[in-house]
Amino acid sequence: MRRSLVLGAGAAVTALGLLVGCSAGGDGSDSGRTTLEVAALEGGYGRDMYTQVIKAYEASHPDIDVRLQISKSIEDEITPNMKAGRFPDVVVLGQGRKAALTETLVKDKALEDLTPVLETKIPGEDRTVGDKLTEGIVGNLNTNPYGTDQTYLMPMYYAPTGLFYNKGLFEEKGWKVPGTWDEMFALGETAKKQGIPLFTYPTAGYLDSYFFALLADVGGEDFYTDVMTYEKDVWKTAKARQALDITTKLLGYAAPATAGYANEQDFTKNQQLVLDNKALFMPNGTWIVGEMAEAPRAKGFQWGLTPLPAVTTGGKRYITTSVESVWVPSAAQDKDAAKEFIAYLYSDEAAKIFAKSNAIQPVEGIASSLSAENAAFYQLYEDPSVSALVGGFASTAPVPGVDIKATLFDTANSIISGDTTEDEWQAALNDASEKLRQAGD
């Protein structure tokens, strides 16, 4: 997944024994059958679940042929065709990817309004999609990017994110998982004496889940919203500086290999550091379990997940909830068929198939079917001191040369190397935020 947070490589699509293509959709043959073009990111959840869901859908919809195009670099595969006017009908691809295809279409207002899908009855069931969705999962800047009542990105999967670590190592060492940043940095000193770095990240893009939670931890949800909506000079505030202070200090404890491996080809090497007890914590999402399922690991390794430490003792802590999206290009040829297919994706039948690959949909009651390991991750939502955080930066008109996500996340690499100072980081963030604020006025 990355989640999409995982950055895909530029590899070509591997044949699945399926029909794979980028044609314009429409009637697939003289018999009047409709061909639905579906493009999906192959992330940590794998590809088999899509083939199984499509097979089930076609069985109940004999007049529909679904062509699946799936790739770890799906943007590279579909963008040239889209530029040529050949659009997939359905795309499963969230925000936060380096290629930023979803964000680009949002900014260009090139997505179909999917609000009617919420009122659509799920094929084969009595309830509508909106009836089944977890409360609060739509209506935020992730699903309604223009701050209106219109939903353009449907939430496909959701996962708690935070700091993943080896519970077995902590038990072996007798270490307590830090509850505050003071405790975190004290642990950093203890681990350093034993040759274990405190922190790493797969790529700097994974710092989205970290930063969103940290900003809310530091200043509450109102401050978080101010940052996400480009409040004037928000990055000059004391709260913003506090978030950068904490992060700069944390990056000082990063594993030496982190910045060098933080790229599309080598990110799993940073993830492997945690499995090998060569780093204590990394920001990630629950898809990491499946993604690294076949990787070697230290004896006694057990996945653990914790929210970021609290800024003050007893302070509120937030979990950034990673949401994968499914959407329809406004230029798609079979938009009605696409919307019906999306409604089916929330059926009990489809949800069970996705759940087997640990791709958990924001459907009420689905978490109860999880494995014990995954159930422990989702139980973090039941902690009264922890709140879920959904959303991200507000969409504005494109501003040439401005990418506030890259400025906020990717700069971590140069903070580690010493090529950028914290003051320069803060100034660049405020400059980018101001330009986007003006573009949104």
Side-chain angles (χ1 to χ4, degrees), residues 21-22 36-41 50 67-71 74 78 88-93 326-327:
C22 279
L36 195 66
E37 306 285 348
V38 176
L41 173 71
Y50 288 110
R67 288 185 178 178
L68 174 66
Q69 183 176 7
I70 185 167
S71 170
I74 193 65
I78 65 176
D89 298 300
V90 176
V91 181
V92 184
L93 179 68
V326 58
W327 42 269

Side-chain angles (χ1 to χ4, degrees), residues 114-156:
L114 297 182
T115 309
V117 174
L118 296 171
E119 302 301 324
T120 299
K121 187 173 289 188
I122 296 170
E125 299 181 10
D126 293 330
R127 291 189 293 170
T128 66
V129 173
D131 290 337
K132 291 186 72 171
L133 290 178
T134 302
E135 184 177 355
I137 201 66
V138 295
N140 50 69
L141 289 174
N142 189 74
T143 60
N144 298 37
Y146 308 115
T148 66
D149 292 334
Q150 278 70 50
T151 297
Y152 290 84
L153 298 101
M154 289 293 293
M156 191 64 234

Side-chain angles (χ1 to χ4, degrees), residues 181 185 207 210-219 223 227 233-252 308 311 393 404-412 415-416 420-431 433:
W181 282 106
F185 294 130
L207 291 174
Y210 162 87
F211 261 116
F212 294 159
L214 179 62
L215 290 166
D217 287 350
V218 167
F223 173 67
V227 175
D233 288 335
V234 68
W235 282 101
K236 290 184 177 180
T237 63
K239 291 176 181 177
R241 183 68 184 204
Q242 185 180 11
L244 294 178
D245 285 345
I246 290 171
T247 305
T248 299
K249 187 172 183 178
L250 178 64
L251 294 173
L308 268 62
V311 174
F393 284 104
I404 196 165
K405 291 181 181 179
T407 303
L408 181 55
F409 311 142
D410 293 357
T411 303
I415 291 290
I416 290 175
T420 300
T421 67
E422 185 180 348
D423 287 343
E424 291 170 338
W425 194 9
Q426 183 178 23
L429 283 165
N430 199 69
D431 180 66
S433 183

Side-chain angles (χ1 to χ4, degrees), residues 25-188:
D27 290 341
S29 68
D30 293 338
S31 65
R33 294 168 62 84
T34 296
T35 298
L36 195 66
E37 306 285 348
V38 176
L41 173 71
E42 181 194 352
Y45 300 136
R47 58 177 63 192
D48 289 347
M49 63 182 188
Y50 288 110
T51 64
Q52 293 175 36
V53 165
I54 287 171
K55 182 178 180 180
Y57 184 75
E58 289 179 332
S60 60
H61 294 74
D63 58 333
I64 302 289
D65 285 323
V66 181
R67 288 185 178 178
L68 174 66
Q69 183 176 7
I70 185 167
S71 170
K72 292 182 178 179
S73 54
I74 193 65
E75 303 95 332
D76 295 340
E77 307 299 334
I78 65 176
T79 296
N81 289 282
M82 291 170 66
K83 289 180 178 179
R86 300 189 299 275
F87 289 79
D89 298 300
V90 176
V91 181
V92 184
L93 179 68
Q95 301 187 61
R97 298 269 296 168
K98 189 171 184 179
L101 177 60
T102 303
E103 290 89 335
T104 297
L105 269 68
V106 168
K107 290 178 180 179
D108 291 344
K109 297 188 176 180
L111 298 183
E112 178 73 4
D113 181 2
L114 297 182
T115 309
V117 174
L118 296 171
E119 302 301 324
T120 299
K121 187 173 289 188
I122 296 170
E125 299 181 10
D126 293 330
R127 291 189 293 170
T128 66
V129 173
D131 290 337
K132 291 186 72 171
L133 290 178
T134 302
E135 184 177 355
I137 201 66
V138 295
N140 50 69
L141 289 174
N142 189 74
T143 60
N144 298 37
Y146 308 115
T148 66
D149 292 334
Q150 278 70 50
T151 297
Y152 290 84
L153 298 101
M154 289 293 293
M156 191 64 234
Y157 321 115
Y158 80 123
T161 67
L163 299 178
F164 280 77
Y165 65 99
N166 177 6
K167 288 198 296 185
L169 177 63
F170 276 67
E171 292 172 2
E172 175 189 330
K173 299 288 188 180
W175 291 341
K176 177 184 175 183
V177 176
T180 66
W181 282 106
D182 286 343
E183 293 175 358
M184 174 67 91
F185 294 130
L187 176 61

Side-chain angles (χ1 to χ4, degrees), residues 169 172-173 175 187-197 277:
L169 177 63
E172 175 189 330
K173 299 288 188 180
W175 291 341
L187 176 61
E189 290 298 317
T190 298
K192 182 190 293 186
K193 294 175 182 177
Q194 300 188 33
I196 307 175
N277 292 336

Side-chain angles (χ1 to χ4, degrees), residues 250-315:
L250 178 64
L251 294 173
Y253 287 92
T258 296
Y261 289 151
N263 58 65
E264 298 177 1
Q265 291 74 41
D266 299 320
F267 69 92
T268 57
K269 294 180 180 179
N270 279 335
Q271 294 178 166
Q272 187 66 42
L273 294 176
V274 175
L275 280 80
D276 291 339
N277 292 336
K278 294 179 179 178
L280 292 189
F281 294 103
M282 68 172 167
N284 221 306
T286 55
W287 56 87
I288 186 66
V289 176
E291 189 169 64
M292 302 298 285
E294 303 301 321
R297 60 204 61 209
K299 182 178 180 180
F301 182 90
Q302 301 176 58
W303 284 114
L305 170 61
T306 181
L308 268 62
V311 174
T312 57
T313 302

